[in-house]
Amino acid sequence: MGLHPLEFSECYLDSPSFREKIKSHEAELEKTNRFIKELYKDGKNLINATKQLGMAQRKFAHCLGEFQFEYIGDAKTDDEKCIDESLIEFSNFLKNLEDQRELMMRNITETLMKPLEKFRKEQLGAARAERKRYEKETEKYYSSLEKLLNMSAKKKEPQLQEADGLVETMRQHFQNESLDYVCKLQEIQERKKFECVEPMLAFFQTVFTFYHQGFELANDFDHYKQALQINIQNTRSRFEGARSEVYELMKRIREAPQEYRQTSPISSEGYLYVQEKRPPPFGSSWVKRYCTFVKEQKILHMVTFDQRSGGKMGETESVTLKSCVRKTTDVLDRRFCLELDITDRPGTVLTVQTLSEDDHKFWIHAMGGKEPIGRYLGRTYSKERGIDAQLDDVGLTFVQNSINAIEKRGINDQGLYRVVGVSSKVQKLLSIMIDEKSDEVDLSTSEDWDVKTITSALKLYLRSLPEPLMTYGLYKDFINPAKGGSPESRFQAIHCLVHKLPDKNQHILGLVLKHLANVADHSEQNLMTVANLGVVFGPTLMRPQEETVAAIMDLKFQNIVVEILIEQHQKVSHSHSMPY
């Protein structure tokens, strides 16, 4: 049951039930007043909290926009550039969203907060004022009435008539106030339904508009988001490929660290402890220095550096070496020492101590000594051994046989070229096909060899060639176009380089590229996109002659080169210099 209506006729009776009805109306308006005050307070808190959120979000967006990822190497891939730019895009998205939020907050103030407060002050405030007048008139009228009724009947008639007239006037005034107050109470009860709810509707419309605009911003951002997801996936795949190569290199360096010593035909580098003599009675001290020996000029550059002191670097001192002689322990009570005769300081002999016996041999060899040491980083190195893989008719037959089998039996296999075969079976297949030169096995019909064994054998054959299919000599030339320029200019540069390959290399490369394009055409089933194939075949078709971390960081550009060749294989294959 809702509030009882206040009948105007009841204003004249002013019964107890009528007064109870008025109290119910007044209590309802008080409740409405408290509700609006609480809502206003919470609304202010919401606006302030949203402002704090906005400030934090703008700071977050600014931080995103200012940060840039550093990269290893001398160039970024297109995917890496997009990933770098993504932080700026995220920042702009948040800033645009925040602009919409600020507009929403202004609208909330105008459409909700001000109208509600206006209703509370003007309408509910007016009702309170009316109530006070009504209570005041009630007090005056009933006090006068009691005074009149208590008047002695023995008063003179003119006095009684005057008193009756005064009370009658007050009664009429009181009843008019009662009528006005009742009308006001009921008017406000009805008015609140729309004057309170209408601002709330406007508030939610503002909120809906904000979220709709956010949805529109998200829709505008969607194409970029999808492209970025591909960029991230490509970068992740290349990372996985590079990481496995890095771990392999790290494993080999652990097994034979001296073979990977940082050296080149031009210079050698490493730490030496240099003896520095002091005036008597202080004797001498040994100072660790990082030394670089330039072989052609025979100049030794030395710089003081101690990691324990925070890595502060001292000044560089340079001397010209005349000769280098092993210093025995019977002359100096220290192991691994060398005596250096200095040309630019006649009569001066510099005594240095190497870090180990192997290091001792390294420096003697580097400075022109006669003690031999192992082969160093400048060597070529084949990761795959025990397979006589050559670019001959046997190899060509194996490649064609493998491709035919894969396309006939496993073109839709998920993870094709990613799922590896059992090593012993792969080695056995290659031994039959390459070492024994068997041309009787048709892999497309043979049930002895599953598809993953064939794909693994094909990759292993290509990796085991004495020189990669795209040659050591053209490696840097292939890599450079992938580091910049438009897609068309990249392809043109790479296409020209393909024609510089030997005929056999071009022919087998053409077979492989055509096959990989066919694999990519079935990527919905086998999940091997062009990017995935680039990761697998980048280091298979091309690799640097020297194995270093820096070279491994270029794996991503190897992948890009192979991706371009797969995507443009038809243009490459139509060239007269690449027969099929």
Side-chain angles (χ1 to χ4, degrees):
M1 181 70 182
L3 295 172
H4 290 282
L6 299 174
E7 298 292 345
F8 291 134
S9 59
E10 292 186 279
C11 294
Y12 294 91
L13 290 175
D14 201 15
S15 66
S17 63
F18 173 67
R19 287 287 178 159
E20 287 300 317
K21 292 176 185 177
I22 287 179
K23 284 184 180 180
S24 297
H25 280 259
E26 290 172 344
E28 172 60 22
L29 292 184
E30 279 300 316
K31 187 172 74 171
T32 302
N33 185 67
R34 289 194 301 271
F35 163 72
I36 293 175
K37 286 180 73 173
E38 195 67 24
L39 192 66
Y40 187 84
K41 177 183 174 183
D42 290 340
K44 284 289 187 182
N45 291 337
L46 173 63
I47 291 172
N48 291 333
T50 305
K51 286 180 179 178
Q52 293 297 319
L53 172 63
M55 291 171 61
Q57 189 163 293
R58 283 198 178 277
K59 186 176 179 182
F60 182 73
H62 178 74
C63 181
L64 283 177
E66 289 292 311
F67 184 78
Q68 288 289 313
F69 289 111
E70 288 297 336
Y71 59 96
I72 300 175
D74 58 358
K76 300 179 186 178
T77 65
D78 289 345
D79 293 319
E80 288 171 330
K81 290 175 184 176
C82 289
I83 288 173
D84 275 354
E85 293 167 1
S86 68
L87 297 184
I88 297 175
E89 291 294 329
F90 293 154
S91 173
N92 292 337
F93 176 79
L94 288 176
K95 287 177 180 176
N96 289 336
L97 194 63
E98 189 51 38
D99 289 342
Q100 299 299 328
R101 193 193 305 278
E102 285 185 1
L103 180 61
M104 178 184 73
M105 288 300 103
R106 288 198 295 270
N107 287 342
I108 287 174
T109 300
E110 294 297 324
T111 59
L112 176 66
M113 307 298 290
K114 289 184 177 179
L116 283 180
E117 187 65 5
K118 181 180 179 182
F119 175 79
R120 191 183 71 83
K121 288 181 177 180
E122 292 184 359
Q123 299 299 325
L124 298 181
R128 279 188 168 187
E130 289 283 346
R131 178 181 176 179
K132 287 180 180 180
R133 281 198 298 272
Y134 179 63
E135 289 174 347
K136 185 178 179 181
E137 291 300 326
T138 298
E139 178 65 28
K140 285 173 62 177
Y141 168 65
Y142 282 105
S143 295
S144 300
L145 182 61
E146 288 178 3
K147 188 178 179 180
L148 174 66
L149 295 177
N150 288 330
M151 184 178 289
S152 173
K154 296 179 180 181
K155 290 278 188 182
K156 294 181 179 180
E157 187 64 25
Q159 289 179 315
L160 293 174
Q161 288 179 356
E162 182 181 357
D164 288 343
L166 182 60
V167 170
E168 179 61 23
T169 301
M170 295 184 69
R171 182 184 64 79
Q172 291 177 0
H173 185 67
F174 163 69
Q175 289 173 343
N176 288 335
E177 285 291 337
S178 181
L179 288 169
D180 290 339
Y181 184 48
V182 165
C183 182
K184 189 68 174 177
L185 284 178
Q186 297 189 123
E187 176 187 328
I188 294 174
Q189 296 290 10
E190 294 301 310
R191 183 188 289 271
K192 72 181 182 185
K193 297 174 185 176
F194 57 87
E195 292 211 7
C196 288
V197 176
E198 190 174 40
M200 293 180 196
L201 175 61
F203 161 73
F204 279 102
Q205 183 60 44
T206 300
V207 173
F208 297 153
T209 301
F210 166 71
Y211 283 112
H212 178 72
Q213 288 169 334
F215 174 76
E216 292 295 331
L217 285 174
N219 275 346
D220 293 341
F221 192 73
D222 193 56
H223 75 284
Y224 179 80
K225 181 187 71 175
Q226 292 178 359
L228 183 60
Q229 286 173 334
I230 295 172
N231 298 142
I232 292 171
Q233 184 57 47
N234 291 345
T235 305
R236 187 190 299 277
S237 299
R238 289 168 186 152
F239 160 76
E240 295 292 344
R243 182 173 64 171
S244 63
E245 294 287 334
V246 167
Y247 282 176
E248 282 294 321
L249 177 60
M250 185 169 62
K251 179 182 175 183
R252 292 194 293 273
I253 288 178
R254 278 189 178 136
E255 293 170 352
Q258 281 302 115
E259 292 190 12
Y260 290 85
R261 183 68 181 265
Q262 188 69 27
T263 186
S264 73
I266 299 173
S267 65
S268 300
E269 299 178 39
Y271 282 100
L272 292 172
Y273 280 83
V274 181
Q275 185 183 37
E276 293 186 353
K277 296 180 180 179
R278 298 184 180 182
F282 298 108
S284 62
S285 63
W286 293 82
V287 180
K288 185 174 73 171
R289 294 188 171 186
Y290 191 76
C291 301
T292 304
F293 181 66
V294 183
K295 297 177 182 179
E296 187 174 345
Q297 289 86 17
K298 291 191 174 183
I299 296 176
L300 182 66
H301 301 289
M302 301 177 291
V303 57
T304 305
F305 184 78
D306 189 348
Q307 290 87 342
R308 295 171 300 179
S309 63
K312 186 176 181 181
M313 189 176 294
E315 293 183 1
T316 300
E317 181 183 359
S318 301
V319 295
T320 305
L321 185 68
K322 182 178 181 182
S323 63
C324 168
V325 180
R326 173 194 288 274
K327 194 148 188 170
T328 58
T329 54
D330 57 350
V331 178
L332 182 67
D333 189 22
R334 274 183 175 251
R335 298 188 300 162
F336 321 133
C337 289
L338 299 172
E339 196 172 78
L340 309 181
D341 191 5
I342 307 303
T343 300
D344 44 7
R345 296 183 189 174
T348 301
V349 175
L350 195 64
T351 302
V352 299
Q353 182 181 26
T354 63
L355 306 184
S356 65
E357 182 63 35
D358 286 340
D359 205 42
H360 190 264
K361 293 177 182 178
F362 168 80
W363 281 108
I364 287 179
H365 176 81
M367 294 180 179
K370 296 181 180 179
E371 293 189 22
I373 63 171
R375 300 168 70 191
Y376 293 101
L377 189 63
R379 76 214 183 295
T380 59
Y381 181 82
S382 174
K383 290 186 285 183
E384 317 297 347
R385 293 190 174 128
I387 302 167
D388 185 21
Q390 300 294 331
L391 283 179
D392 53 13
D393 290 341
V394 174
L396 175 60
T397 300
F398 171 67
V399 171
Q400 291 175 321
N401 198 344
S402 299
I403 289 174
N404 291 338
I406 294 164
E407 294 192 352
K408 182 177 180 180
R409 296 170 53 195
I411 195 71
N412 291 322
D413 289 2
Q414 285 193 7
L416 189 66
Y417 284 111
R418 278 198 180 277
V419 179
V420 297
V422 178
S423 179
S424 59
K425 291 185 67 175
V426 173
Q427 292 283 349
K428 184 178 179 181
L429 175 59
L430 277 174
S431 177
I432 293 172
M433 303 295 289
I434 302 296
D435 294 339
E436 298 177 16
K437 300 179 173 57
S438 174
D439 56 0
E440 297 179 0
V441 179
D442 184 358
L443 296 176
S444 63
T445 58
S446 175
E447 296 181 359
D448 296 334
W449 309 102
D450 55 23
V451 172
K452 64 183 179 183
T453 300
I454 300 171
T455 57
S456 297
L458 178 58
K459 289 189 293 183
L460 184 56
Y461 162 76
L462 294 171
R463 288 177 182 170
S464 301
L465 293 170
E467 187 173 25
L469 205 56
M470 295 169 71
T471 72
Y472 289 132
L474 292 175
Y475 175 78
K476 289 186 178 178
D477 294 328
F478 272 114
I479 287 292
N480 287 334
K483 294 182 177 180
S486 66
E488 184 61 29
S489 65
R490 290 180 183 180
F491 170 68
Q492 290 297 336
I494 292 171
H495 191 188
C496 290
L497 291 168
V498 170
H499 297 315
K500 294 183 180 181
L501 294 172
D503 289 343
K504 288 183 179 179
N505 297 58
Q506 289 189 49
H507 183 50
I508 293 182
L509 179 63
L511 290 174
V512 172
L513 292 177
K514 183 179 180 181
H515 165 60
L516 295 181
N518 191 19
V519 172
D521 288 341
H522 293 77
S523 61
E524 289 189 5
Q525 291 79 33
N526 60 39
L527 307 182
M528 293 302 292
T529 62
V530 171
N532 290 338
L533 291 169
V535 170
V536 173
F537 279 88
T540 301
L541 299 178
M542 57 188 301
R543 60 181 182 272
Q545 192 163 6
E546 294 183 355
E547 290 184 299
T548 62
V549 173
I552 292 173
M553 291 301 106
D554 275 344
L555 270 177
K556 54 195 175 186
F557 297 110
Q558 297 176 31
N559 303 342
I560 291 171
V561 171
V562 173
E563 287 174 29
I564 292 171
L565 288 173
I566 294 172
E567 289 173 340
Q568 304 290 341
H569 80 282
Q570 289 184 329
K571 293 182 181 178
V572 176
S573 64
H574 288 164
S575 169
H576 66 277
S577 62
M578 290 193 68
Y580 285 91

